[in-house]
Amino acid sequence: MFYDFVYTGVGLITDNFTVVIVEGTSKSVRRYDKLMMRRIDWNAKLNDDDDDDEMDDDSRKNKCTRVWKGTSTKTYLKRFTFETLRTEAAARRFLEQVNLGHLWDAAYACVAIEDEE
């Protein structure tokens, strides 16, 4: 069986927010986009033991925002991985090593604009 949804990318998890970068064919990126934007409930409760009245403010503001979608002639990443980093500067340095630092800047600017509103 041949799977047409082959993709590479990276998920960078920091204390303030998470950035997911996905590369692949148009079909695979479209499917991943639908997963992230439509199918995942970002405010779902993790434990059934918690009361509904005791929802944290942090869990209410969870959301997924697409910052950029486009094409590139070069593949920057070899496989899909998740990295947990302590600071945003470390995450930017990680992306700078694979020439994707501009995507971190775009995501960080998008979060800063949303926080102002």
Side-chain angles (χ1 to χ4, degrees):
M1 177 179 267
F2 178 74
Y3 294 104
D4 190 28
F5 46 93
V6 177
Y7 51 85
T8 62
V10 65
L12 298 176
I13 302 168
T14 63
D15 291 337
N16 293 334
F17 66 103
T18 301
V19 174
V20 178
I21 299 170
V22 179
E23 300 176 324
T25 63
S26 61
K27 186 175 183 180
S28 64
V29 171
R30 186 175 62 244
R31 286 184 180 181
Y32 201 85
D33 185 47
K34 285 181 183 179
L35 171 73
M36 298 289 284
M37 301 299 287
R38 296 181 192 171
R39 292 179 58 201
I40 296 176
D41 181 11
W42 294 103
N43 292 316
K45 291 189 332 182
L46 296 177
N47 297 330
D48 292 334
D49 298 335
D50 295 338
D51 292 76
D52 290 356
D53 298 334
E54 296 181 13
M55 283 187 71
D56 295 332
D57 291 334
D58 293 336
S59 66
R60 289 185 183 165
K61 65 180 180 180
N62 289 338
K63 62 182 172 178
C64 181
T65 305
R66 183 188 318 114
V67 176
W68 184 80
K69 183 178 180 181
T71 60
S72 175
T73 57
K74 182 179 176 187
T75 302
Y76 292 96
L77 302 163
K78 304 271 188 241
R79 62 180 193 267
F80 196 91
T81 60
F82 277 95
E83 300 288 333
T84 304
L85 302 164
R86 291 181 184 224
T87 64
E88 285 123 16
R92 182 153 194 334
R93 279 193 304 270
F94 180 87
L95 287 176
E96 276 294 322
Q97 294 173 353
V98 290
N99 297 324
L100 293 174
H102 61 282
L103 295 178
W104 179 266
D105 295 337
Y108 192 78
C110 182
V111 169
I113 290 171
E114 289 176 356
D115 286 344
E116 288 177 2
E117 296 174 356

